[in-house]
Amino acid sequence: MAAVKETVETVGEVEKYKYGFSTEIESEKAPIGLTEDTVRYISAKKDEPEWMLEWRLEAFRRWKNMKEPTWAKVFYPTMDYQNAYYYAAPKQTVAPESLDEVDPKLLETYEKLGIPLEEQKMLAGVAVDAVFDSVSVVTTFKEKLKEAGVIFCPISEAIRDYPELVKKYLGSVVPVTDNFFATLNSAVFSDGSFVYIPKGVRCPMELSTYFRINEKQTGQFERTLIVAEEGSYVSYLEGCTAPQRDENQLHAAVVELVAMDDAEIKYSTVQNWYPGDEEGKGGIYNFVTKRGDCRGRNSKISWTQVETGSAITWKYPSCILRGDNSRGEFYSIAISNTKQQVDSGTKMIHLGKNTSSRIVSKGISAGGSSNTYRGLVSVHKKAENVRNFTQCDSLLIGDKCSAHTVPYIEAKNPTAILEHEATTSKISDEQLFYCMQRGVPEEEAVALIVNGFCRDVLQQLPMEFAVEAQKLVGISLEGSVG
Amino acid sequence: MLEIKNLHVEVGGNEILKGIDLEVGAGEVHAIMGPNGSGKSTLSYVLSGREGYEVTQGSIAYKGQDVLEMSVDERAAAGIFLAFQYPIEIPGVTTMTFLKTALNAQRKARGEEELDAVKFLKLVREKAKPLNVTDEMLKRPLNVGFSGGEKKRAEILQMAILEPWFAILDETDSGLDIDALKTVSEGVNALRSPERSMLVITHYQRLLDYIVPDKVHVLSKGRIVKTGGKELALELEKSGYAEYGADEAA
């Protein structure tokens, strides 16, 4: 309820993609194109140990022989992987020790994005790791987290400071050879976040990462790894924006989550990459592999995503329910407008006994967009007493968009109980008239109705994100009626 | 307050209203009665600006403004309110959220300060109580799974909070039992004031026992065929609409 409460004040300020500015900062880039040398360049820039370089090179060799997948319902011109930059970093000679040492222009950018980086403003209790193009700029609240024993740092730092942990878990959920984009990421990932919650610790604050692509023609390949040890809990938030550019930019991230016995990870995303203009020119190609491994008994992983941006979204945050009694959840709002294409959903792989999963997907298509839910619920032979509930609702606005639902179900154990519900609806003229008769202007009325449609999912978001997400709903549907 | 002159309205190429003249002064309550299909609901929709109701001739002036030039939400912000015969369900949007959204949208449109959560909550509680609208009902999505009585009470609650200057009640009595009818009527009567006018559309005289009108108009086949005082409603109750050209008063 609280989630929808502020809808109106917030959607009132709708405007076009407001994160479309770029920041003039001198940057340092890898030579254009992708070769073994590029991989070595990135690894050297990061001052990485030999084992990491080898890991990357292995991925690169594999990737060269892989083909881009074509099964998704998205269409785009062939990408030229040799005509892109794989590493760009704001130029800075020494790594910053504190905020005072960070380029003020960078801080200004984050301010424009509404991320309060200064610790004074951080009393709300959100620790932020901000990734600007390829490097992590600053991680706030490090000290306080350290006291609790929580590690939250750029992954490049973790590779140097906690090599044993990284070695143990990196690639253990999403293997190097998992898929074309994940393998590419393994070769060239430049930064991202690393989170480690020790046994029995409840992370004292929400952790947050903000990603921004600033440089032209740059891909962003961040890598996030979160490990929750026995009996621990963490809530992690991720936000993304990019400047408006005419060319398409690739974003191929990999996120790996590991939850041990009785641990819980809550992972929330508000994705607002630049979606391209009204004719479909420009925008981010978002090809992301996110997977959580409920490795321990009674563990729980919950994905909540609000996807409003990107020209193309290809994303299936999944759960491997390995531990007995473990639980996976996926709550999703995917909004597409203009020429955006979304192919998103989840995979719930039930391996352990008494595992359960819940999928709630809300797809909203407007303009000339295409919105596909693609999901897999798989029950393995030895997984007794599995429960799954899936609900896929699609809402259409206008008559030029489309919604598709592609659920796959594989049940190899007869004790499984799987439920699937799907609905498709349109915003009715009656609803619009009713809201407007009460004084709500048309676009605000659409946002109100859509926020109502998404309520089940918005309620899953942490408070700070819920408000932003509602704003985004309004902004991304701007111009979809009338 | 409201002045309708020679109003002709078409819906899908069929002329439904064929020259309505009606003047409602400030503080007055007028009842429109008539058989099914006489154009009662069309009149309420054209006043509130619903799409698909085409005015081919005539004019509507509200507080000196040309209503036909205003959008639906502009009319609402200017104080025209329609209590729906069949209130619409808004899934996932709680009654509370909806009320706050509507009130603040109107205040914003009028250049007034929006109400914060605390002030708003106080206002709702105060207005909800006499209408027997519980906190539980305010937390439910608007009209979703509401009984007939709950829907109508929610409509009147919206009216009480939005405080319109000109309210149209479209068959507000339909689907109400006698107790609910009393509650709703009391809610409406509490809003009567020398500055506020109402147009009560109804089929039956019953409602007018509770909401006593200053004038009663009989609408038949798109025209106002008779106007009188509140006693006209009683006459109609006895004789039916037959003499006004309707086959059945049902």
Side-chain angles (χ1 to χ4, degrees):
Chain A
M1 182 195 63
V4 213
K5 214 163 75 184
E6 303 302 319
T7 308
V8 171
E9 298 94 287
T10 48
V11 295
E13 317 140 14
V14 290
E15 47 187 299
K16 290 285 176 201
Y17 193 76
K18 70 169 178 182
Y19 304 104
F21 59 87
S22 65
T23 308
E24 294 294 329
I25 279 186
E26 220 186 321
S27 80
E28 184 167 39
K29 283 186 282 202
I32 198 160
L34 181 51
T35 63
E36 257 192 47
D37 287 342
T38 323
V39 177
R40 286 179 193 281
Y41 177 93
I42 295 168
S43 189
K45 275 279 157 213
K46 297 278 166 193
D47 218 352
E48 282 176 356
E50 190 61 23
W51 62 268
M52 196 65 239
L53 174 64
E54 279 312 312
W55 199 83
R56 288 176 179 277
L57 288 172
E58 171 66 14
F60 178 69
R61 285 171 204 135
R62 299 269 193 163
W63 179 76
K64 279 197 297 192
N65 298 318
M66 289 171 93
K67 283 210 166 65
E68 235 174 286
T70 53
W71 43 263
K73 196 177 162 48
V74 292
F75 304 93
Y76 55 93
T78 316
M79 275 187 259
D80 182 358
Y81 292 92
Q82 295 306 335
N83 190 28
Y85 292 101
Y86 289 82
Y87 181 87
K91 213 167 194 172
Q92 201 149 32
T93 39
V94 206
E97 284 293 316
S98 77
L99 276 175
D100 308 333
E101 295 173 30
V102 175
D103 188 330
K105 269 191 191 157
L106 261 185
L107 294 180
E108 218 171 90
T109 304
Y110 286 121
E111 204 137 298
K112 268 194 222 168
L113 294 167
I115 317 159
L117 268 177
E118 300 98 314
E119 299 207 16
Q120 303 98 295
K121 291 188 196 164
M122 302 298 298
L123 295 170
V126 183
V128 176
D129 182 18
V131 177
F132 196 82
D133 284 331
S134 305
V135 289
S136 210
V137 181
V138 66
T139 307
T140 56
F141 266 142
K142 240 182 210 171
E143 286 309 308
K144 195 170 169 196
L145 290 167
K146 220 175 199 174
E147 270 169 44
V150 172
I151 303 171
F152 177 38
C153 66
I155 197 147
S156 48
E157 206 176 299
I159 290 165
R160 290 193 300 265
D161 299 351
Y162 310 99
E164 292 315 310
L165 283 175
V166 175
K167 257 191 216 171
K168 187 170 171 191
Y169 293 106
L170 190 72
S172 75
V173 185
V174 178
V176 167
T177 53
D178 190 77
N179 69 71
F180 183 83
F181 295 106
T183 306
L184 174 63
N185 174 287
S186 302
V188 300
F189 77 85
S190 33
D191 224 324
S193 299
F194 174 73
V195 177
Y196 179 81
I197 317 288
K199 189 172 165 180
V201 170
R202 205 183 154 83
C203 186
M205 61 188 74
E206 311 259 4
L207 302 183
S208 169
T209 303
Y210 213 95
F211 294 109
R212 176 157 178 87
I213 301 179
N214 192 58
E215 271 304 309
K216 263 190 196 172
Q217 274 179 287
T218 334
Q220 188 170 46
F221 306 91
E222 85 266 0
R223 184 105 195 176
T224 299
L225 174 60
I226 300 177
V227 180
E229 289 285 10
E230 195 182 323
S232 67
Y233 168 84
V234 62
S235 168
Y236 185 89
L237 325 171
E238 169 195 76
C240 329
T241 62
Q244 245 161 305
R245 298 201 187 283
D246 286 346
E247 79 271 22
N248 297 105
Q249 285 173 289
L250 176 64
H251 173 251
V254 172
V255 175
E256 296 178 278
L257 313 181
V258 181
M260 307 309 280
D261 285 359
D262 302 299
E264 181 178 347
I265 301 175
K266 193 172 158 59
Y267 194 105
S268 313
T269 306
V270 172
Q271 182 266 106
N272 183 26
W273 295 121
Y274 179 54
D277 67 8
E278 264 139 56
E279 275 78 50
K281 198 170 182 212
I284 303 291
Y285 288 169
N286 194 28
F287 290 77
V288 170
T289 305
K290 292 186 166 178
R291 197 172 300 155
D293 189 352
C294 284
R295 214 164 273 184
R297 289 173 57 89
N298 307 317
S299 57
K300 181 177 167 187
I301 288 178
S302 178
W303 298 100
T304 305
Q305 59 171 20
V306 178
E307 303 281 314
T308 65
S310 296
I312 296 176
T313 303
W314 180 100
K315 183 180 173 192
Y316 316 89
S318 305
C319 296
I320 300 167
L321 303 164
R322 201 184 302 273
D324 290 348
N325 310 322
S326 61
R327 179 169 172 84
E329 291 176 342
F330 174 74
Y331 299 98
S332 169
I333 297 171
I335 300 179
S336 56
N337 198 354
T338 60
K339 302 278 189 224
Q340 284 176 272
Q341 304 175 63
V342 177
D343 194 305
S344 183
T346 184
K347 286 190 277 185
M348 292 292 172
I349 314 292
H350 293 263
L351 303 176
K353 292 186 184 72
N354 307 315
T355 50
S356 62
S357 58
R358 181 181 167 87
I359 299 170
V360 179
S361 161
K362 305 275 182 179
I364 298 113
S365 353
S369 67
S370 156
N371 203 323
T372 302
Y373 167 81
R374 189 183 303 277
L376 168 69
V377 176
S378 166
V379 181
H380 282 236
K381 237 187 255 168
K382 289 179 181 164
E384 299 280 332
N385 302 318
V386 163
R387 290 294 309 257
N388 162 264
F389 172 76
T390 300
Q391 185 187 336
C392 294
D393 297 325
S394 306
L395 186 69
L396 299 167
I397 301 173
D399 53 9
K400 290 185 184 65
C401 54
S402 63
H404 317 270
T405 303
V406 192
Y408 299 88
I409 295 172
E410 292 170 5
K412 292 185 183 145
N413 185 304
T415 60
I417 301 174
L418 312 175
E419 290 172 76
H420 182 97
E421 284 177 17
T423 64
T424 302
S425 52
K426 279 190 83 162
I427 290 186
S428 72
D429 293 344
E430 270 185 337
Q431 283 177 326
L432 275 181
F433 172 65
Y434 188 77
C435 294
M436 289 173 71
Q437 208 298 307
R438 297 302 184 247
V440 185
E442 190 168 27
E443 288 198 336
E444 226 177 288
V446 170
L448 180 71
I449 294 166
V450 172
N451 268 317
F453 173 78
C454 302
R455 187 175 173 225
D456 303 351
V457 176
L458 288 172
Q459 280 176 323
Q460 299 296 328
L461 286 172
M463 205 40 199
E464 306 85 352
F465 257 29
V467 174
E468 174 166 357
Q470 284 166 33
K471 260 193 244 178
L472 270 181
V473 167
I475 293 166
S476 37
L477 289 170
E478 202 186 33
S480 61
V481 287
Chain B
M1 175 75 74
L2 186 85
E3 200 175 350
I4 301 175
K5 278 188 185 155
N6 189 32
L7 185 69
H8 290 251
V9 176
E10 282 184 10
V11 180
N14 298 318
E15 187 167 63
I16 307 292
L17 297 184
K18 300 167 183 172
I20 301 273
D21 289 286
L22 180 67
E23 211 180 318
V24 181
E28 292 177 1
V29 173
H30 288 215
I32 302 266
M33 300 184 73
N36 288 332
S38 57
K40 298 194 299 290
S41 285
T42 298
L43 181 61
S44 69
Y45 286 144
V46 81
L47 285 171
S48 51
R50 185 162 192 171
E51 250 177 70
Y53 293 78
E54 200 194 335
V55 176
T56 52
Q57 273 187 67
S59 65
I60 307 173
Y62 164 76
K63 290 185 162 185
Q65 285 172 279
D66 181 357
V67 168
L68 300 176
E69 289 295 311
M70 296 158 79
S71 67
V72 179
D73 50 313
E74 282 168 359
R75 294 181 201 198
I80 295 178
F81 178 89
L82 170 63
F84 283 61
Q85 183 181 1
Y86 304 108
I88 309 299
E89 296 183 359
I90 313 287
V93 179
T94 64
T95 305
M96 189 75 99
T97 303
F98 186 85
L99 285 168
K100 190 175 176 207
T101 306
L103 179 64
N104 279 338
Q106 291 202 9
R107 292 180 72 98
K108 196 172 161 191
R110 292 194 292 259
E112 298 164 14
E113 203 183 322
E114 296 179 35
L115 284 194
D116 62 32
V118 177
K119 281 187 189 143
F120 177 74
L121 198 65
K122 194 167 166 256
L123 176 72
V124 174
R125 292 247 162 88
E126 176 195 313
K127 303 282 186 185
K129 206 174 170 208
L131 288 163
N132 286 332
V133 173
T134 58
D135 277 5
E136 188 267 336
M137 210 174 128
L138 291 168
K139 283 179 192 158
R140 276 154 61 193
L142 183 63
N143 295 324
V144 179
F146 281 21
S147 70
E150 285 175 331
K151 281 186 185 171
K152 294 297 165 77
R153 280 190 278 138
E155 290 292 288
I156 303 306
L157 175 62
Q158 293 181 46
M159 179 171 152
I161 284 170
L162 298 174
E163 301 188 301
W165 299 118
F166 187 80
I168 308 153
L169 308 179
D170 191 1
E171 309 231 4
T172 295
D173 51 334
S174 70
L176 291 187
D177 61 31
I178 197 74
D179 292 329
L181 183 64
K182 270 187 190 165
T183 311
V184 165
S185 303
E186 278 164 17
V188 172
N189 285 330
L191 290 166
R192 287 182 77 156
S193 90
E195 292 91 38
R196 183 171 291 127
S197 312
M198 295 183 193
L199 195 61
V200 181
I201 294 173
T202 182
H203 215 83
Y204 301 107
Q205 186 267 337
R206 190 177 69 153
L207 177 67
L208 305 180
D209 282 344
Y210 298 98
I211 305 171
V212 181
D214 299 302
K215 274 187 183 167
V216 175
H217 309 274
V218 180
L219 187 65
S220 177
K221 294 183 174 167
R223 289 190 179 90
I224 288 176
V225 291
K226 193 167 185 181
T227 295
K230 60 183 182 229
E231 62 292 340
L232 178 58
L234 289 165
E235 268 172 50
L236 282 168
E237 185 78 354
K238 279 191 208 123
S239 55
Y241 293 110
E243 65 172 294
Y244 302 106
D247 312 324
E248 256 291 281

